[in-house]
Amino acid sequence: MQNDIQKAAKFITASKHCIVFTGAGISVESGIPPFRGPDGLWSKYDPTCLELDFFNTHPKESWEKIYTIFYEFMGNAKPNAAHIKLAELEKKGIIKSIITQNIDNLHQDAGSKNVLEFHGTTKRFECQNCLKKSRQPDVSLDLLPPACPVCGGLLKPDFIFFGEMIPSHVNDESFIQAELADVVLVIGTTGEVMPACYIPYQAKDKGSTIIEINAEPSAFTNTITDIFLKGKATEILTQLFNLIK
Ligand code: APR
């Protein structure tokens, strides 16, 4: 394992365009439960509140669940050492961009600038009536469902609900990054959710080296991963960071 960390550090140090692809696992050590698995959010909560039809017909009921899961739980979380090391590597010019499936804003809170939020964010809202985007404090979550500050229409959190399309600008830019990448650092994701999971495959097709950090093997591990670093994101990234020149 120590050898593999050294090997990974060499690839990252020598890279010209290293990108990062993250999932829920990177935020677990910030206290945010993952989605899948025995302690996952979907084993505790019914995900129906994230279906668009249900949301539009039952906005109050949906918003009350969404608020508990994504604003009470996630709202108070702080970036952990893994988020912080990635932000430092971007500052050093080694990491060019982070494509995250997470909606928790923790990469930005840690100081990362080039973040592509593939599944959107809890920090922004979109009006279902006038389609304007807004943010807190213009939006109040004291009374649910929240109303659009422009037209009073129903606000939806600006993250992807089940069955929704990924906005084309973020989708296109993510796949451009995948094509440019010579090294992809994949952290804490099952690799089971489409179309996000195609990003590392696209990079691999273009000849990129795939380095994966995960507590458990994922869909990538035995298919495209070149170096698998098994363990917690904070611990592995700290060791890696110390070896990157
Ligand atoms: N360090 C590294 N990896 C970890 C850690 C940790 N401390 N804890 C858990 N993991 C790994 C798990 O082994 C698993 O592979 O993180 C992954 C978490 O899996 P999921 O909860 O399924 O998250 P993810 O794959 O990112 O989900 C993708 O699914 O419902 C959607 O839109 C949601 O963005 C989400 C998408």
Side-chain angles (χ1 to χ4, degrees), residues 23-26 28-29 34-36 42 101-102 119 162 188-191 193 213-216 218 231-233:
I26 196 168
V28 164
E29 292 166 85
F35 290 98
R36 294 170 186 78
W42 299 148
Q101 297 166 89
N102 301 342
H119 289 159
F162 292 115
T189 177
T190 49
V193 173
I213 300 174
N214 199 312
E216 300 297 334
S218 74
K232 290 184 175 174

